[in-house]
Amino acid sequence: MTFELPELPYEKSALEPYISSKTIEFHYGKHHKTYVDNLNALIKNTVYESMDLDDIVRSTVNRAESTAIFNNAAQAWNHAFFWRSMRPNGGGEPEKELKARLIKDFGSVEKFKEEFKAAAVSQFGSGWAWLVEDTGVLRVIKTSNADTPIAHGLKPILTIDVWEHAYYLDYQNQRAAFVDAYLAHLINW
């Protein structure tokens, strides 16, 4: 199986002014594409060549001999999920069922947003903040580098990429401002 860069679910300029088309060109067109291209090269003529992306991630996590495959597969997966975690004119209130679950598990939508922002801003170095379902309970986690919830049996609901390439052209070193813009204007409930 050869993996392809998935189509963005919107135009490259659709998230402006919160994420510029220039950032999308670099982040999606260069970083994400490189993970996909590297993965294809790494799995050629291996047992992983016939697996889907989820199975490659789960099969290579914590296996030293497969670190490069895991990193590229997980980053390809994480980025595809990230693009779907945003939408033009996003933000606002979550739909009724998700809102009820956020209230149940966090106390309020605002408490969820506070916890999610804290995870995203406090992630040291590169990584991700996630809303996941863990044995029927919603919780916020953060992962470093390429790590991903699917490698650990968790169900991702949404994510934000806090690698610098996700925001640096638009926000420089202001990660918190990027997270605020994501929560207020981009999140795809």
Side-chain angles (χ1 to χ4, degrees), residues 128-153:
W128 304 81
W130 302 85
L131 173 63
V132 299
E133 184 177 44
D134 181 7
T135 59
V137 176
L138 296 181
R139 63 187 189 101
V140 170
I141 65 167
K142 55 186 174 179
T143 60
S144 296
N145 299 319
D147 200 8
T148 181
I150 68 166
H152 308 286

Side-chain angles (χ1 to χ4, degrees), residues 23-36:
T23 290
I24 297 290
E25 286 173 22
F26 279 94
H27 193 178
Y28 168 76
K30 297 200 183 298
H31 289 276
H32 189 177
K33 183 178 184 320
T34 298
Y35 297 129
V36 172

Side-chain angles (χ1 to χ4, degrees), residues 77-160:
W77 194 96
N78 288 351
H79 279 85
F81 194 83
F82 173 60
W83 304 127
R84 293 186 313 269
S85 292
M86 298 181 291
R87 67 180 175 85
N89 303 309
E93 288 290 312
E95 50 90 0
K96 185 178 176 181
E97 183 181 329
L98 180 56
K99 183 176 182 177
R101 292 193 66 199
L102 290 170
I103 292 168
K104 176 182 161 286
D105 294 336
F106 293 95
S108 69
V109 174
E110 278 307 310
K111 292 277 189 207
F112 155 71
K113 288 180 179 180
E114 290 169 15
E115 193 171 323
F116 188 82
K117 179 180 178 181
V121 171
S122 68
Q123 172 56 42
F124 182 76
S126 299
W128 304 81
W130 302 85
L131 173 63
V132 299
E133 184 177 44
D134 181 7
T135 59
V137 176
L138 296 181
R139 63 187 189 101
V140 170
I141 65 167
K142 55 186 174 179
T143 60
S144 296
N145 299 319
D147 200 8
T148 181
I150 68 166
H152 308 286
L154 303 173
K155 179 183 177 186
I157 308 297
L158 50 88
T159 193
I160 187 170

Side-chain angles (χ1 to χ4, degrees), residues 42-50 69:
L42 290 165
I43 66 171
K44 188 174 177 122
N45 300 319
T46 71
V47 64
Y48 303 112
E49 191 172 35
S50 63
I69 294 172

